[in-house]
Amino acid sequence: MLHVNGTSKSFDFRVGIILQASARGLLEQAIQLNFSASNNEVEYEAILVGLDLALTMTMTKLEICNDSQLIIEQIQKEYAPIPRMHSEVLNLVTSPWLFTQWGMDIVDLLPIATTQKRFLLVATNYFSKWVEANAYVSIKDKDVSKFVWKNIVCRLRVPRAIIADNEP
């Protein structure tokens, strides 16, 4: 059984997890998030951390307990009925989940600064328009890998897709 709770205050975002594995006992974990988030986002982060922990412990069945009925219903896919409209009335959303789809590009030939950094690696989240960017003297494949790991995966989560146009 996984018990999770998250709190979101002005500059304090915390996650609490209790994982009860019948044969392995009780595992408790508290985490301070290093990014701002809404209450629901903090609750989702708590569940994701708890699921990662359960996977690490090779658990095959898991019951999730949370004080947010909205989040539990979304996990169980018990959504409220959605009113149907003609497609002309609806707006297209390319990525309906926060931080799952990113666009990435390199901006080059910036004005040369004292640090000689002329290139900018930019990633933009399709849903929230959140931007992550770093300046570089030159960009190599290891720089891109490190950028994605540090600025997206470690801070937010593993994205479903990163889209780049690969044009020179």
Side-chain angles (χ1 to χ4, degrees), residues 134-154:
N134 277 355
Y136 297 90
V137 174
S138 66
I139 298 179
K140 298 181 178 32
D141 58 348
K142 67 177 177 138
D143 297 320
V144 175
S145 298
K146 187 176 178 181
F147 173 85
V148 169
W149 180 255
K150 179 182 166 196
N151 295 300
I152 298 175
V153 174
C154 289

Side-chain angles (χ1 to χ4, degrees), residues 64-126:
I64 300 173
C65 300
N66 183 277
D67 61 356
S68 172
Q69 190 63 33
L70 170 69
I71 291 173
I72 294 300
E73 286 176 356
Q74 288 180 344
I75 290 172
Q76 295 172 341
K77 298 197 186 293
E78 294 176 3
Y79 301 104
I82 299 172
R84 303 293 177 209
M85 301 177 135
H86 291 289
S87 60
E88 301 85 40
V89 179
L90 301 174
N91 294 323
L92 177 65
V93 175
T94 57
S95 178
W97 301 107
L98 192 60
F99 304 124
T100 59
Q101 191 168 338
W102 292 79
M104 186 178 289
D105 206 352
I106 296 173
V107 179
D108 59 352
L109 300 177
L110 297 174
I112 298 177
T114 56
T115 59
Q116 302 297 314
K117 295 181 178 179
R118 298 184 55 201
F119 299 93
L120 190 64
L121 183 55
V122 181
T124 306
N125 176 254
Y126 280 165

Side-chain angles (χ1 to χ4, degrees), residues 8-29:
S8 172
K9 297 181 181 169
S10 298
F11 297 101
D12 189 25
F13 308 95
R14 297 177 187 223
V15 171
I17 300 160
I18 300 174
L19 183 59
Q20 184 176 358
S22 57
R24 297 178 189 131
L26 198 65
L27 180 62
E28 297 181 53
Q29 198 168 30

